[in-house]
Amino acid sequence: MGKEVPSVQEHTGTILVVEDEEPVRDLLRLYLEKEGFRVTTAEDGEEALIKFSGSHPDLILLDIMLPKMDGWAVCKEIRKQHATPIIMLTARGEELDRVLGLEIGADDYITKPFSPREMVARVKAVLRRVNQAEERKNAQVITWPGLVIDNNAKNVEMNGRVVPMPPKEFDLLWFLARHPGQVWTREQLLQQIWEYDYLGDPRTVDTHIKRLREKLSAHTGRRYIKTVWGRGYKFEVGN
């Protein structure tokens, strides 16, 4: 895994390291602590859930192959109630494992052997994305390339031009843009935007999404809202 020597010393958060191999666990702790993180460790899946409940870490480094309860099960259990960022660690490099980890809620995936500096960089990158997402949730103006959404004025600017938008379309765009990368089902969007148990056709969401995409594409050249087949929709800047 290399023997690079880290140097940053400022406190940057609390990390829960879940790893059954003591040498790897100790090395992760060493490099994270030297980077200013507080570190809690667990040796198996059951202990991981206990330590998580007691420490409420900012991020979890979670090995997949664990005694008692594997990393998949731990990740699923945590995701039932918490959005704490999770980076999966594994000695296996198959794409299926990586995809499965991301589908059950992991934020990133590192295959062993890896450089400790790479691990620290990935931890910081995930935490930075989470912090930026929280800032967007609290902000009243969201800015993306070619797109400015002002929740106070209820205005949407696309490439500098104000584009008229009905209230529900605006609310839907605002909600999705505040949660980039997160997948929402039609039913969840109906509850969030229409704010009651919608008894009509849930495809009303599809209609609003279609109109939004047409406006976004016409004025910015981007669709922003991606269909995740079989699941729902998400806001994505790179599309």
Side-chain angles (χ1 to χ4, degrees), residues 6 56 103 143 157 179 196:
H56 299 291
E103 285 184 347
T143 302
E157 288 187 16
H179 304 87
Y196 60 90

Side-chain angles (χ1 to χ4, degrees), residues 13-19 25 28-29 32 37-63 66 74 78 84-89 119 123 127:
T14 300
I15 309 295
L16 172 59
V17 174
V18 187
E19 167 62 62
R25 190 170 63 247
L28 292 171
R29 175 197 283 273
L32 288 167
F37 292 101
R38 289 192 294 262
V39 178
T40 304
T41 63
E43 301 179 18
D44 60 63
E46 292 181 358
E47 184 184 9
L49 294 177
I50 295 172
K51 291 289 184 68
F52 175 79
S53 298
S55 63
H56 299 291
D58 297 296
L59 182 142
I60 305 168
L61 282 172
L62 178 61
D63 191 30
L66 294 169
V74 173
I78 290 173
T84 304
I86 297 173
I87 299 178
M88 306 295 288
L89 305 175
M119 176 273 299
V123 165
L127 288 173

Side-chain angles (χ1 to χ4, degrees), residues 171-172 175-176 182-196 202 205-206 209 225 232-234:
D171 292 345
L172 182 59
F175 180 78
L176 290 170
Q182 186 169 345
V183 180
W184 299 90
T185 66
R186 293 183 181 91
E187 291 74 18
Q188 288 173 325
L189 290 172
L190 285 169
Q191 292 173 4
Q192 293 288 338
I193 307 306
W194 279 258
E195 297 181 350
Y196 60 90
V205 173
D206 300 342
I209 293 290
I225 302 172
Y233 298 103
K234 69 176 180 177

Side-chain angles (χ1 to χ4, degrees), residues 176 209 212-213 216 223-227 233-234 239:
L176 290 170
I209 293 290
L212 281 174
R213 282 175 170 165
L216 289 165
R223 296 180 70 185
Y224 283 108
I225 302 172
K226 179 179 180 180
T227 299
Y233 298 103
K234 69 176 180 177
N239 61 340

Side-chain angles (χ1 to χ4, degrees), residues 29-212:
R29 175 197 283 273
L30 171 66
Y31 275 81
L32 288 167
E33 287 182 342
K34 286 189 176 181
E35 289 288 337
F37 292 101
R38 289 192 294 262
V39 178
T40 304
T41 63
E43 301 179 18
D44 60 63
E46 292 181 358
E47 184 184 9
L49 294 177
I50 295 172
K51 291 289 184 68
F52 175 79
S53 298
S55 63
H56 299 291
D58 297 296
L59 182 142
I60 305 168
L61 282 172
L62 178 61
D63 191 30
I64 292 177
M65 304 302 291
L66 294 169
K68 299 184 180 180
M69 178 185 293
D70 65 26
W72 306 128
V74 173
C75 184
K76 288 179 182 178
E77 191 65 27
I78 290 173
R79 279 292 173 265
K80 288 179 181 179
Q81 296 184 0
H82 302 279
T84 304
I86 297 173
I87 299 178
M88 306 295 288
L89 305 175
T90 181
R92 298 184 298 177
E94 289 87 349
E95 183 180 2
L96 181 60
D97 285 344
R98 180 178 64 84
V99 172
L100 177 59
L102 297 176
E103 285 184 347
I104 66 174
D107 296 87
D108 203 352
Y109 188 100
I110 304 177
T111 302
K112 301 175 186 175
F114 52 83
S115 159
R117 283 185 176 176
E118 177 197 2
M119 176 273 299
V120 170
R122 300 280 276 275
V123 165
K124 290 182 176 180
V126 170
L127 288 173
R128 186 163 54 248
R129 290 200 302 267
V130 170
N131 290 335
Q132 289 171 347
E134 286 300 315
E135 290 175 0
R136 283 192 293 270
K137 288 180 184 180
N138 295 327
Q140 291 302 303
V141 178
I142 298 176
T143 302
W144 294 109
L147 180 65
V148 179
I149 311 170
D150 187 332
N151 192 44
N152 287 324
K154 303 298 181 184
N155 276 348
V156 178
E157 288 187 16
M158 300 182 190
N159 282 337
R161 177 184 176 185
V162 175
V163 177
M165 196 164 290
K168 290 303 180 188
E169 282 184 28
F170 177 89
D171 292 345
L172 182 59
L173 178 61
W174 172 256
F175 180 78
L176 290 170
R178 290 178 68 219
H179 304 87
Q182 186 169 345
V183 180
W184 299 90
T185 66
R186 293 183 181 91
E187 291 74 18
Q188 288 173 325
L189 290 172
L190 285 169
Q191 292 173 4
Q192 293 288 338
I193 307 306
W194 279 258
E195 297 181 350
Y196 60 90
D197 293 331
Y198 188 77
L199 299 178
D201 190 342
R203 286 178 295 181
T204 186
V205 173
D206 300 342
T207 301
H208 283 74
I209 293 290
K210 180 181 178 182
R211 291 172 182 165
L212 281 174

